[in-house]
Amino acid sequence: MALYRAAADVLEGLERGSGGVKALVYHSRFPHVRQLYALVSETLRYSPVLEELLASAALLQAEKKLSPQLAKVLVYDLLFGKGLKCGGRWKALARRHRPRLEGELARLKVRQKVSRNEDLLSPAQAAGPGASRVPRYVRVNTLRTCVDDVIDFFKREGYSYLGKAASLEELRALSGKKFLLDLHLPELLVFPPQTDFHDNLLYTSGHIILQDKASCLPAFLLSPAAGSHVIDACAAPGNKTSHLAAILKNKGQIFAFDVDTKRLATMNTMLTRAGVTGFQLAQQDFLTVDPGDPKYSKVAYILLDPSCSGSGNMGGFGRPPLGGLWTHRPQAAAALPTGMVNRVPMAEAAPSAERLQALAGFQRKVLRHALSFPALQRLVYSTCSLHQEENEDVVGAVLQEWGSAFRLVDAFPCWPCRGLAAFPGAESCLRASAADTLTNGFFVAVLERRGDGAAASGSLPAPADDALQHGKGTAPGAAPEKRKRKKQRVKE
């Protein structure tokens, strides 16, 4: 049963946008990584079919204690895999519902006019998760090392460094053991898709962070000054938090919130490995945090990446968006229409207008709450959603109320994809997608306080020159002349 529990946890992490399949599998601590990865990948591949079978068989209605994620992996192995490998009540449950599930599967094949299970999959699903064209992005953790030394390390491991990319086409053309420095973000290296570094010394020692490029934008654009107090409102799994700490140079204070004890423990381990100090993790929903608490009286920066539909993850993982993004927010789940919690339509269909409005309502609420912190100077709002309802519409609605106090910043002008024209100035926002920016789907808006207390308009990050991109530090196995630098080292 441990296998199915671990697979269900990975699916839930994907739904929250907590990371990619490989990262979540490796962080699961399940001893048989290949077995877990195979089960998760195949469950994702059959996810639309499983959604339809669960709905038509009304399995979740009949078994109230069965989570949608666990139901998917159990039904996958029961009907499409090699048979259930568990005993106890879950095997008894599966046997009890097997005739109905098999009947629904047979009826689905008749409706689709196919004879094989594989024929129920679309061409993209049949290709599997490995079909992703998004490169492997590697963020250099400047709390442990620097870009130059990480480049030297990979060169000694047989990789060819091609310099700084000049265009997205150069990223798209990467293959074999070649890598580039990203054209937009300093300290971000780019490798061919599916390059695996989970067993690499740099990763296990915390010197590099495996993080999608779009996910690096929020902390990069927030750009808190060293010594600042910062809130990461929806922090798990911690990649953005570690990025904030690197920008702060561990000088300042980060308050990070999440309501799940297990995720906080995992996040604490990750931040410690990355060398992050000066952070406080709190098992608390951000909406319950009191802006008037003296503890937060100096918070000048907030990174807000709330729960969303996750529709942008399609490009990065080669999979349809999954439901369940509200499972760690019970009070938010209550706002969803009956039957929509932990559910999402088939991959070919967009989330319903009702579901999107419920999501957007929560997102507006949490954005308003963040803007109410008295010392706030700059805020970044981001989602891994492609839907205007969760992005431009949320920002536009909140600015109508808070426009006298905050303004929308024209962030990162060289970024190629801008916000949809949903309201005047929406082009100041950023969008990202697999097709246009070779990243997961993402949306970012930067808000600054008006008046004398606001940060200078020109202080937002711009592409750094080579001197800024290659800071001081050392990677594991660095050249002898670089060992003199006072940074933590690990042996090759």
Side-chain angles (χ1 to χ4, degrees), residues 94-131:
R95 284 178 173 175
R96 186 163 64 248
H97 292 279
R98 181 168 191 161
R100 184 163 188 176
L101 287 165
E102 289 179 336
E104 294 297 337
L105 176 59
R107 280 187 281 274
L108 180 60
K109 288 180 180 178
V110 171
R111 289 197 302 273
Q112 298 290 336
K113 298 180 180 179
V114 299
S115 58
R116 300 185 309 152
N117 292 336
E118 293 80 1
D119 295 333
L120 293 170
L121 303 175
S122 69
Q125 293 155 358

Side-chain angles (χ1 to χ4, degrees), residues 377 399 402-408 448-454:
Q377 294 298 316
L399 278 176
W402 289 81
S404 61
F406 290 89
R407 67 184 182 88
L408 186 62
E448 269 188 350
R449 187 178 293 276
R450 294 181 182 274
D452 295 338

Side-chain angles (χ1 to χ4, degrees), residues 148-438:
D148 279 339
D149 293 343
V150 171
I151 289 173
D152 288 345
F153 180 90
F154 282 123
K155 287 164 90 173
R156 288 193 299 277
E157 288 206 330
Y159 288 88
S160 298
Y161 177 55
L162 305 182
K164 182 180 178 181
S167 68
L168 287 174
E169 289 307 313
E170 290 188 12
L171 304 187
R172 201 187 308 272
L174 276 175
S175 63
K177 297 193 72 172
K178 299 176 182 177
F179 71 109
L180 289 157
L181 184 68
D182 185 64
L183 70 161
H184 292 118
L185 301 184
E187 298 148 5
L188 192 67
L189 301 177
V190 191
F191 292 80
Q194 310 305 318
T195 305
D196 189 4
F197 291 122
H198 289 91
D199 292 328
N200 190 281
L201 178 61
L202 287 178
Y203 174 73
T204 58
S205 63
H207 286 65
I208 61 173
I209 308 293
L210 305 182
Q211 185 174 0
D212 183 69
K213 178 176 177 177
S215 178
C216 295
L217 288 173
F220 176 73
L221 293 175
L222 187 63
S223 189
S228 301
H229 286 207
V230 184
I231 281 179
D232 189 349
C234 308
N239 284 343
K240 296 182 185 71
T241 314
S242 69
H243 196 182
L244 287 171
I247 294 169
L248 289 168
K249 300 181 174 65
N250 266 342
K251 298 176 181 178
Q253 183 68 54
I254 299 176
F255 302 97
F257 300 95
D258 199 275
V259 297
D260 187 273
T261 305
K262 183 178 178 181
R263 288 197 301 273
L264 281 175
T266 301
M267 181 176 171
N268 185 68
T269 301
M270 180 265 185
L271 294 179
T272 301
R273 183 179 66 188
V276 178
T277 61
F279 66 93
Q280 290 186 21
L281 301 185
Q283 186 183 353
Q284 184 176 1
D285 192 305
F286 177 62
L287 280 173
T288 68
V289 177
D290 180 9
D293 189 327
K295 181 191 298 185
Y296 310 117
S297 62
K298 296 181 181 180
V299 169
Y301 301 87
I302 292 180
L303 194 157
L304 179 61
D305 189 61
S307 299
C308 68
S309 65
S311 53
N313 283 332
M314 290 180 67
F317 301 121
R319 62 177 179 86
L322 299 175
L325 292 168
W326 296 87
T327 54
H328 64 302
R329 294 187 179 275
Q331 78 285 0
L336 284 174
T338 303
M340 291 301 292
V341 179
N342 299 323
R343 297 277 313 278
V344 69
M346 292 283 287
E348 292 76 18
S352 70
E354 187 180 26
R355 173 178 169 81
L356 285 176
Q357 287 306 313
L359 285 162
F362 167 73
Q363 291 152 355
R364 289 193 298 270
K365 183 177 180 180
V366 74
L367 179 53
R368 292 189 196 101
H369 183 68
L371 293 177
S372 68
F373 281 73
L376 179 66
Q377 294 298 316
R378 183 182 298 160
L379 176 146
V380 166
Y381 171 82
S382 63
T383 75
C384 54
S385 170
L386 303 177
H387 298 293
Q388 178 180 319
E389 291 89 338
E390 300 177 85
N391 298 330
E392 291 87 356
D393 288 356
V394 168
V395 173
V398 174
L399 278 176
Q400 284 186 340
E401 306 166 21
W402 289 81
S404 61
F406 290 89
R407 67 184 182 88
L408 186 62
V409 175
D410 186 11
F412 215 1
C414 68
W415 188 257
C417 296
R418 316 305 299 185
L420 305 178
F423 62 91
E427 66 276 5
S428 295
C429 304
L430 276 62
R431 277 182 168 263
S433 69
D436 297 325
T437 59
L438 294 180

